[in-house]
Amino acid sequence: MSQLQSSEKVTFLDPSHERMSYTQPVIGFVLLGLIVVFGTYLNGLSASLPVHLMAGVYLGYVLTRARFGFAGGIKRIYMRGEGSLTKALIILILVTAFVTMGLQWKAAADGLLPAYLAGEGEAFIPGTTNVYFTNIATIIGGFIFGIGMMLAGACGSGTLADFGEGAGRALIAFIFFVLGTAPGHYLRQVIDGTAIGQVGVRLHFPQVMGYFGAFLMTAALLGVIYWITIKYENMRKAEGTYMDPKGDYEDFEKPLDDTKKAPFLSHQTYHKLFIERWGFKLGALALAMGAIFVLVTTDRNWGVSTAVLTLNVWFFDLLGFDFNPEYFGSHLARVEAGLLNDSGTIRNLGLFFGCTIAFLLAKRFTFDFDFNKKDGFYFALGGLMLGFGSRLGLGCNLGAMYAAISSFSFSGWVFLLAMTLGGITGMKLFAGKVCILPHRIGKK
C-alpha cells in the first residue's frame, strides 16, 4: 500500500480512496467471529480446547504480521547477507529460555522430575517432553529437514502459515509434509531399536549444572551465534553482498508519515493496527509470549509436526491402512478420540486461520500459484523431506530445535547444527533450480 501524503486525512467514511476496499477486512472480521463460534463449540468438548485454538490464532497472526519464519534464520542471512531474522531468533530463544528456567526450577523444587524420568501418568517438569534421546537419527533427520525447508520455502510452522496466506507452493508442500511424517516416524522407531540407534545421550542440562548454570550456558552459546552472525555480516558488507534488512519491505506495508496526526477512525490508524509490518524483534517477543503461554497452560512446548503425523494417521486410517500400535499407538488413540479433541490439531488449525485473518485484515490475501511444474515438483519434494526429517529427528524447527534448546536439552543444539548444515547444502545444491531459491546475491 502506497504511503499517503501528510496533508491527506482519509477516514473510513471517505469512499474515494482507491485502496479503501473493505471486502477482505470484512471477511477477516467475519472469520474471526466464526473462530469464536467454533471455540464455543470446542468448549463443549473440552474446556481446554478453546485455549489451544486461541493460542494457535495468536501465533499464526504474529508469524504473518512480522513475516517471521524459522527457516529464514538460515536462508535470509545466506541469501541477503544480513542477519536481522537470525538475531531475532536468538532473542526468541533467550527470552523463552529465561522464563522456562523459572518454571522448571519451581517444578523441580516441588519435587517433579523430567518427563523421561517421571512415572506413567505422573506430573513432570514443564517442557521436558522435548528432552529427546540424541542419536544418529537426530542428525540425519535434522539434515534432511534442513534441505526440505529450503525446497519447500519454509519450515514446519512456516509451511502451515504460508498455506494459510494462500501460497500455492505451501499447499503442495503441506500435503507432502503430511505424507512424509509416518515413514519418518516409523524409521525413527526402528533405528532406536537397533544397536547403532542406542548409541547416544539424553541430557537435560539442569540435571548436571543446575537451572541457572544451564541458562548461562544457553545464553553463552546464543552469544556465540550472535557473534558469528555479526562477523558474517561484516564479511558480506566488505565483499559488497550485504542487503538492507528492510530492503524487502513492500511499499504498502511500510509506516505512513502522518500516523500521529490522524484521527482514530482513519485509514492511517487502520494501517498502523493491521497493515504495517512488524519488525523481527517485535515478532520474536510476541512469539515468545505465545510459546510461553502454551507451555504454562499445557506443561508442553509449542510444536507442529506431532499433530501433522496424527493427521497422516487419521487420513490413511480412513483409507483402511493398518498402523502398528507399537509404533503409532498414541496417534491411533488421538484418531479414535477424534481430531477435534486433539490439542495439537486444534492449535495448528488456529495457526492456519490466524495467518489467513492477518492477511485478510491487511487486504493482501490472494491465491498465488505463480510457478511451473518443475517448481511444483521441488515443493513436493521439500514437503516430503520436511515431514520425513521432522519425525526422524523427533520434531521440526519448533519441537526439535526451538523448544528443545529453550528447555535446556542437548538434542536441540545437535538438531540446530544438523538442520543448519542441511539448509546450507540445500541452498547450494538447488540455487537457481527452483523459483524460491535464486542464486545468492553477488553469486552466479
Side-chain angles (χ1 to χ4, degrees), residues 12-28:
F12 284 131
L13 300 178
D14 183 355
S16 64
H17 195 265
E18 62 179 1
R19 300 293 300 187
M20 298 309 291
S21 171
Y22 302 112
T23 302
Q24 288 202 14
V26 167
I27 295 174

Side-chain angles (χ1 to χ4, degrees), residues 1-12 17-20 65 246 249-278 362-363:
M1 180 175 291
S2 60
Q3 294 192 28
L4 299 173
Q5 298 298 321
S6 59
S7 60
E8 295 181 78
K9 301 299 179 185
V10 182
T11 70
F12 284 131
H17 195 265
E18 62 179 1
R19 300 293 300 187
M20 298 309 291
R65 280 302 303 278
K246 295 186 178 181
Y249 280 33
E250 298 186 64
D251 286 342
F252 69 86
E253 62 182 1
K254 295 178 181 178
L256 299 179
D257 294 331
D258 57 351
T259 303
K260 293 182 180 180
K261 302 178 182 180
F264 181 74
L265 293 177
S266 66
H267 164 62
Q268 294 93 320
T269 303
Y270 187 89
H271 183 279
K272 184 71 175 180
L273 292 176
F274 299 110
I275 300 176
E276 183 179 318
R277 180 169 170 173
W278 291 357
K363 296 179 285 186

Side-chain angles (χ1 to χ4, degrees), residues 310-374:
T310 300
L311 182 61
N312 177 299
V313 173
W314 170 81
F315 177 73
F316 284 100
D317 184 67
L318 288 179
L319 297 180
F321 283 76
D322 291 327
F323 288 89
N324 187 336
E326 180 182 356
Y327 294 157
F328 295 92
S330 62
H331 297 279
L332 289 169
R334 294 188 187 103
V335 170
E336 185 176 351
L339 284 184
L340 291 185
N341 286 296
D342 178 46
S343 59
T345 297
I346 293 301
R347 192 162 51 243
N348 281 356
L349 192 63
L351 190 152
F352 171 86
F353 283 113
C355 297
T356 303
I357 289 169
F359 254 35
L360 286 170
L361 295 182
K363 296 179 285 186
R364 60 183 297 178
F365 184 88
T366 182
F367 292 105
D368 179 10
F369 287 88
D370 186 18
F371 52 84
N372 57 38
K373 292 181 180 179
K374 186 181 75 170

